[in-house]
Amino acid sequence: MQTVEIVLALLAAVVLSGAAARFLPLAVPAPLVQIGLGAFIALVTKTPVALDPQLFFLLFLPPLLFLDGWRIPKDDFFRDLPVILELALGLVVLTVVGAGLFIHWMIPAMPVAVAFALAAVISPTDPIAVSAIAQRVPIPKRLMHILEGESLLNDASGLVCLRFAVAAALTGTFVLRDAVLTFAWVALAGIAIGVLTTLVVTTLNAWLSRKSAEDAGPQTLVSLLIPFAAYLLAEKVHASGILAAVAAGVAMSFSEAARQTVAATRVRRNMVWDTLQFTANGVIFVLLGEQLPSILAGAVETVRTTGHHQAWWLGVYVVAITLGLGLLRFAWVWGSLKLTLLRARRRGEERASPDWKIIAATACAGARGAITLAGVLTLPLVTASGEVFPARDLAIFLAAGVIVLSLLISSTALPLLLKNLQLPPDTDSQEQAQQARTTLANAAIHAVEQLMTASPHAADLDFQAATARVADVYRDRLDSLAQSGEVAVAARRSQAFEKDVRLKALEAEREALRRLVRQRVVNDGVRSRLTRDLDLAEARARS
């Protein structure tokens, strides 16, 4: 019963965090509010949730990373893949080496291997906090896609580096050749398993759907099981379950494009995934906050590990490490940009250097999150010789401090840097969308015209009137798409007015339906059907 109560408290905290974040006078992102609520729950209940890192990875990471890989724009992802790999691999290695050496220099009591392990676990960035901040400030789309792609891949590279550092701390040895080969196996095998899992499951699912009518329930459940299957299969062969989940999501989008799915299935499946994403993201940060009181309670004992006796020294270390991470990230982003511009000039391309605010925003967007905390909690309790793992509590405290401080910096610095930033219009996407709508409308008119001549009801006047009305809808759409200049501006203004009128009309329909229900003129079945029709009409009007 206690476990059920804790789960309900976590879910209630997620719901309250959304409302609290909106009503706070300052623009505080939801993750920070959720951390605060989690800490409050732990202080009130006096029974913080014992976070099992392996269980945490299994329950939360596969579905969230799968969904991110599924929904990330693939054209943008593969176009910016070199930049993403530079951040997800090159920057992670630089962070592990640079921050590890800096931590060991600053805290000599922490062994080099443990310092590298701490640096590895604080190297992955967390996209959830940046996404929450992006709802309040205009982050350029391309920058957001790069940050999302980076976070998809650097989780795996950071945790692989953590594995090597922990092995070195346990055994006292490190072989570079073995590390490179292991990393290649972990990455390539994880990606291959993720892609194959999705292809096998979706192919089998499509075959079963052709044999019988497609049902939205089983289809949604299959999509929920794919990331867990990919993750567990990869972990069984000691590959990266994280990369397997990401690759499964990327493959899912291509599999979807190659197969036809019933519209009702897509709508219901998207609703389930949206709810799962909101809930899991919120619970992750509430759990993170739940761990903070117990971590802070041991601060007095932890500080003695460093050779000091005042607890404020831990705050100094957290600030120094966070600033060091920011400087490394800024230096890497700036250097990567300069090399990109240099390569473009050698190819004869002229590219303008981006606004310095974009570079600074990219550096400040490196907020750490729950993956960092779960990763640092996987540090073993004892070494291979049976001795206590050195500086384990200190590493956990510093990682938790870096998480909170990096979230605070991102939530304050990004709005300041991106405020009043003039973003260029996304003309390419707009033109592509307009061309695609034109092509779709022409295809629809062609199909209607064929139906008018080939249908056995072609001579029926009612059928002719119905097909003419449908064709006129698409011809009106083509006329609207073909407009330009002042005519197009006037048409968009008219469409905005029409949208407002439709929404007012739909609200009047809802109020009339509520009156009929109160007067018991319609039964529950009729009410449900009419409500669904109104919901679909409103969703269409707002799109």
Side-chain angles (χ1 to χ4, degrees), residues 434-458:
Q434 185 165 349
Q435 292 174 0
R437 290 191 178 101
T438 301
T439 302
L440 296 179
N442 284 321
I445 292 173
H446 181 67
V448 172
E449 289 174 347
Q450 283 188 325
L451 188 62
M452 291 175 67
T453 57
S455 173
H457 305 290

Side-chain angles (χ1 to χ4, degrees), residues 194-278:
V195 172
L196 289 175
T197 300
T198 296
L199 293 180
V200 170
V201 172
T202 54
T203 301
L204 180 60
N205 189 42
W207 180 79
L208 292 174
S209 298
R210 288 195 298 269
K211 297 297 181 180
S212 59
E214 182 175 301
D215 190 355
Q219 297 293 324
T220 303
L221 185 58
V222 167
S223 70
L224 291 172
L225 292 175
I226 289 176
F228 294 102
Y231 182 90
L232 291 173
L233 287 173
E235 290 295 322
K236 284 290 184 181
V237 297
H238 305 291
S240 173
I242 292 175
L243 280 180
V246 173
V250 174
M252 186 71 174
S253 62
F254 288 106
S255 177
E256 282 281 291
R259 295 182 176 86
Q260 186 67 29
T261 305
V262 176
T265 299
R266 284 197 302 272
V267 171
R268 295 179 185 178
R269 186 178 59 193
N270 287 339
M271 292 172 60
V272 170
W273 274 105
D274 288 341
T275 304
L276 175 64
Q277 183 182 36
F278 169 78

Side-chain angles (χ1 to χ4, degrees), residues 353-402:
S353 181
D355 193 324
W356 69 269
K357 290 184 178 181
I358 299 295
I359 302 175
T362 307
C364 292
R368 273 61 182 177
I371 291 176
T372 291
L373 183 65
V376 79
L377 289 175
T378 61
L379 293 177
L381 296 173
V382 296
T383 63
S385 60
E387 300 177 355
V388 176
F389 192 87
R392 182 179 186 272
D393 292 339
L394 176 61
I396 293 175
F397 184 95
L398 294 177
V402 168

Side-chain angles (χ1 to χ4, degrees), residues 42-330:
L43 291 172
V44 171
T45 61
K46 306 293 184 182
T47 54
V49 178
L51 183 61
D52 182 347
Q54 302 301 332
L55 183 61
F56 173 87
F57 283 149
L58 175 61
L59 288 180
F60 292 102
L61 292 193
L64 291 177
L65 294 176
F66 174 83
L67 185 61
D68 287 340
W70 188 357
R71 290 182 173 178
I72 191 171
K74 302 305 178 294
D75 293 337
D76 296 325
F77 177 77
F78 288 111
R79 179 194 61 194
D80 294 321
L81 187 58
V83 178
I84 292 172
L85 290 177
E86 287 176 2
L87 292 170
L89 298 179
L91 180 56
V92 166
V93 173
L94 175 67
T95 301
V96 172
V97 176
L101 292 174
F102 174 69
I103 292 170
H104 177 65
W105 170 81
M106 185 172 57
I107 312 174
M110 179 177 285
V112 177
V114 180
F116 281 143
L118 175 58
V121 84
I122 60 178
S123 61
T125 56
D126 193 293
I128 301 169
V130 178
S131 298
I133 298 168
Q135 297 174 2
R136 299 176 181 267
V137 293
I139 294 182
K141 287 185 178 180
R142 187 169 186 181
L143 173 58
M144 197 65 211
H145 294 155
I146 290 174
L147 294 174
E148 290 172 346
E150 175 197 5
S151 65
L152 284 176
L153 302 181
N154 67 7
D155 293 339
S157 57
L159 294 177
V160 169
C161 291
L162 171 65
R163 180 189 302 181
F164 296 145
V166 170
L170 293 176
T171 63
T173 60
F174 176 76
V175 181
L176 180 61
R177 178 178 174 275
D178 293 344
V180 172
L181 292 176
T182 302
F183 182 83
W185 165 257
V186 165
L188 297 178
I191 293 173
I193 289 173
V195 172
L196 289 175
T197 300
T198 296
L199 293 180
V200 170
V201 172
T202 54
T203 301
L204 180 60
N205 189 42
W207 180 79
L208 292 174
S209 298
R210 288 195 298 269
K211 297 297 181 180
S212 59
E214 182 175 301
D215 190 355
Q219 297 293 324
T220 303
L221 185 58
V222 167
S223 70
L224 291 172
L225 292 175
I226 289 176
F228 294 102
Y231 182 90
L232 291 173
L233 287 173
E235 290 295 322
K236 284 290 184 181
V237 297
H238 305 291
S240 173
I242 292 175
L243 280 180
V246 173
V250 174
M252 186 71 174
S253 62
F254 288 106
S255 177
E256 282 281 291
R259 295 182 176 86
Q260 186 67 29
T261 305
V262 176
T265 299
R266 284 197 302 272
V267 171
R268 295 179 185 178
R269 186 178 59 193
N270 287 339
M271 292 172 60
V272 170
W273 274 105
D274 288 341
T275 304
L276 175 64
Q277 183 182 36
F278 169 78
T279 305
N281 284 340
V283 170
I284 283 174
F285 283 100
V286 175
L287 282 174
L288 194 158
E290 280 247 350
Q291 310 305 307
L292 292 183
S294 59
I295 293 173
L296 292 173
V300 176
E301 292 296 327
T302 302
V303 75
R304 294 175 182 169
T305 308
T306 68
H308 299 284
H309 297 282
Q310 296 84 8
W312 56 266
W313 274 102
L314 294 176
V316 173
Y317 293 146
V318 168
V319 172
I321 293 171
T322 305
L323 292 178
L325 292 174
L327 289 175
L328 285 172
R329 185 174 178 85
F330 182 85

Side-chain angles (χ1 to χ4, degrees), residues 299-528:
V300 176
E301 292 296 327
T302 302
V303 75
R304 294 175 182 169
T305 308
T306 68
H308 299 284
H309 297 282
Q310 296 84 8
W312 56 266
W313 274 102
L314 294 176
V316 173
Y317 293 146
V318 168
V319 172
I321 293 171
T322 305
L323 292 178
L325 292 174
L327 289 175
L328 285 172
R329 185 174 178 85
F330 182 85
W332 182 269
V333 170
W334 182 83
S336 176
L337 175 63
K338 290 299 181 182
L339 288 175
T340 301
L341 294 176
L342 180 61
R343 289 195 295 265
R345 290 194 189 101
R346 288 180 176 177
R347 293 194 300 266
E349 301 176 6
E350 286 296 331
R351 293 188 184 180
S353 181
D355 193 324
W356 69 269
K357 290 184 178 181
I358 299 295
I359 302 175
T362 307
C364 292
R368 273 61 182 177
I371 291 176
T372 291
L373 183 65
V376 79
L377 289 175
T378 61
L379 293 177
L381 296 173
V382 296
T383 63
S385 60
E387 300 177 355
V388 176
F389 192 87
R392 182 179 186 272
D393 292 339
L394 176 61
I396 293 175
F397 184 95
L398 294 177
V402 168
I403 292 170
V404 175
L405 185 56
S406 65
L407 284 171
L408 285 171
I409 291 174
S410 294
S411 61
T412 54
L414 284 179
L416 292 175
L417 288 169
L418 299 176
K419 185 179 181 181
N420 299 325
L421 182 67
Q422 297 296 324
L423 300 179
D426 191 5
T427 55
D428 290 342
S429 297
Q430 293 173 359
E431 291 177 359
Q432 287 184 12
Q434 185 165 349
Q435 292 174 0
R437 290 191 178 101
T438 301
T439 302
L440 296 179
N442 284 321
I445 292 173
H446 181 67
V448 172
E449 289 174 347
Q450 283 188 325
L451 188 62
M452 291 175 67
T453 57
S455 173
H457 305 290
D460 192 319
L461 294 178
D462 292 334
F463 176 78
Q464 293 175 7
T467 53
R469 286 195 300 271
V470 173
D472 287 341
V473 170
Y474 287 103
R475 291 192 180 98
D476 290 342
R477 185 180 301 177
L478 283 175
D479 292 339
S480 175
L481 292 171
Q483 293 169 349
S484 61
E486 295 182 359
V487 177
V489 173
R492 285 194 294 269
R493 191 164 178 265
S494 175
Q495 289 171 359
F497 286 139
E498 183 179 345
K499 176 181 177 180
D500 293 339
V501 172
R502 285 184 182 275
L503 292 176
K504 288 289 185 182
L506 288 169
E507 181 57 35
E509 287 190 73
R510 289 186 188 279
E511 182 58 34
L513 179 60
R514 284 191 287 266
R515 286 198 302 269
L516 293 176
V517 171
R518 287 195 298 269
Q519 297 168 3
R520 299 185 181 279
V521 176
V522 296
N523 58 33
D524 284 343
V526 174
R527 177 192 59 79
S528 297

